Amino acid sequence: MSRARFLEILEIRLAVEPRIAMRAASKIGPEIIDAMTQDHAAMCGALERGDSREYLASNRRFHFRLYEAAQTQVMFPVVESMWMQIGPHLNQIFRARDGATATADHHHNALIRALRRQDAQAAGKAVWDDLSNAADAILAGKHFKD
């Protein structure tokens, strides 16, 4: 993955994922929020154990439950495509235990609180903050081929 490609994917993700989160905020039910809470707990447990595979899988489940709840026809496939393109690079970074995990807990909890309030603006901001802070840490590393 080149730095330029990562930045382009990030630009698209920062534009689309907060918007899809905002749409989901008014549609998501408490059972999905509860499942997201469990995904987040699994993610935190995996981080404590140093299990990068489970960490990434739990993080993906957490986000995709949210994005599926938005019930979009166009945005969801765009998000899915971006995750498929970035996934192998993230696997490589996180297996090296050099990923951006320090702020995920804070942002995921902020997102869950926003969803419980059906606060679209706060949900979008929590997703934007989650993505941008993780990207900042990744960009500070030496994980690009250029």
Side-chain angles (χ1 to χ4, degrees), residues 66-135:
L66 172 68
Y67 303 152
E68 288 170 354
Q71 302 170 7
T72 64
Q73 295 179 24
V74 178
M75 283 192 277
F76 184 81
V78 170
V79 168
E80 196 170 39
S81 172
M82 294 300 102
W83 276 68
M84 289 181 71
Q85 290 183 55
I86 201 73
H89 187 66
L90 293 180
N91 276 314
Q92 184 178 38
I93 291 170
F94 280 80
R95 285 185 189 189
R97 297 186 195 273
D98 215 6
T101 60
T103 59
D105 184 52
H106 172 71
H107 299 305
H108 284 188
N109 285 323
L111 176 58
I112 289 167
R113 287 190 306 272
L115 293 173
R116 286 194 177 118
R117 295 189 310 268
Q118 295 187 326
D119 184 339
Q121 294 297 321
K125 182 181 183 322
V127 169
W128 194 94
D129 289 345
D130 187 32
L131 296 176
S132 64
N133 286 347

